[in-house]
Amino acid sequence: MAVVAAAADLSLLAYGDQVAGCTRCALAETRTQVVFGSGSPTAELMFVGEAPGFHEDKGGVPFVGAAGKLLSKLLDGIGLSREEVYICNTVKCRPPGNRNPLPEELEACETHLFRQIEIIQPRLVATLGNFATKLLSGKPAGITQVHGREQQVVLGGRPVTLYPIFHPAAALYTPRMLQVLEEDFRRIPELLGLGPAPVAAQPAPVAAPLAAPVEQPLQLGLF
Ligand code: SF4
């Protein structure tokens, strides 16, 4: 098992180095750096969001702003840490002004995402928001229709459970959305075969810090 983990680690590192110089789409001209992904190279659970924002573009790590903090809290609520999962986005470079990724940018970058999935071999891929859900399900149904309902798909040549959930950024503005997100998160341990979520996964600890301002405009694709 340690050998497999080391091989995945090396493959992911090598591929990340390769993608760091990617110029396959126009986002290469405006990015500060490629935001490849972070977490365990052998994670059973992988999160796929939309695109890096301002802070991610500066720091090179996905989900480090207010939405990222909420993601960490939601993970904590189900007994998982960021180090145990893998987190990345559908496009690896920040769209200017946090606009939605264009179809040609999603198409150009999907090779990188599929290769990440191939290397990591997760059992469960949780898509955060519309773009990732549509891309990885291959279906047009939006996140409002399909959130919280797992689907069986083939990704990276292997059967994978796809689990669409709302993007955490959507819950920064709407308490009702936070509740939905928490409910959908609570099913993750069961989908991973870990049994029910720990009792500690309650809404209150997550909801409190959400008043923090978000510096960048919300991407419409989150809904
Ligand atoms: Fe390459 Fe993806 Fe960045 Fe476009 S968004 S330049 S395809 S890494």
Side-chain angles (χ1 to χ4, degrees):
M1 194 62 195
V3 176
V4 174
D9 196 13
L10 283 177
S11 300
L12 205 57
L13 278 173
Y15 194 62
D17 286 347
Q18 195 181 318
V19 175
C22 178
T23 55
R24 287 173 62 115
C25 80
L27 294 181
E29 292 162 24
T30 51
R31 73 184 179 216
T32 303
Q33 60 192 311
V34 168
V35 183
F36 183 66
S38 71
S40 167
T42 55
E44 299 230 306
L45 169 60
M46 184 167 172
F47 288 93
V48 182
E50 184 167 284
F54 175 84
H55 296 292
E56 290 78 15
D57 176 67
K58 295 287 173 234
V61 179
F63 283 86
V64 291
K69 288 190 176 73
L70 175 55
L71 179 61
S72 299
K73 283 176 181 292
L74 287 162
L75 277 171
D76 189 48
I78 57 170
L80 292 171
S81 69
R82 284 180 72 120
E83 291 71 33
E84 293 173 279
V85 304
Y86 192 83
I87 303 172
C88 65
N89 285 301
T90 50
V91 296
K92 315 297 183 199
C93 302
R94 182 194 179 208
N98 281 13
R99 66 159 167 75
N100 291 332
L102 301 174
E104 58 267 31
E105 292 159 357
L106 286 162
E107 193 183 337
C109 211
E110 69 178 24
T111 309
H112 300 324
L113 176 60
F114 288 129
R115 182 69 189 128
Q116 284 173 306
I117 294 172
E118 216 171 70
I119 295 170
I120 296 166
Q121 301 189 2
R123 284 173 58 188
L124 182 65
V125 174
T127 49
L128 302 169
N130 253 335
F131 286 94
T133 299
K134 289 181 181 179
L135 180 73
L136 294 184
S137 69
K139 295 176 189 155
I143 189 67
T144 307
Q145 294 163 270
V146 298
H147 77 90
R149 282 185 270 155
E150 68 273 27
Q151 310 170 17
Q152 298 308 315
V153 294
V154 174
L155 298 174
R158 297 172 60 252
V160 174
T161 302
L162 191 75
Y163 188 53
I165 46 186
F166 282 101
H167 194 288
L172 295 173
Y173 299 88
T174 319
R176 169 67 192 135
M177 193 64 77
L178 177 60
Q179 203 182 330
V180 172
L181 195 57
E182 287 166 338
E183 283 163 11
D184 288 348
F185 254 77
R186 277 199 282 275
R187 287 208 52 227
I188 288 178
E190 169 202 328
L191 293 171
L192 285 169
L194 301 174
V199 177
Q202 294 300 317
V206 175
L210 294 184
V214 179
E215 307 81 348
Q216 298 296 314
L218 181 65
Q219 288 160 308
L220 295 177
L222 303 180
F223 303 94

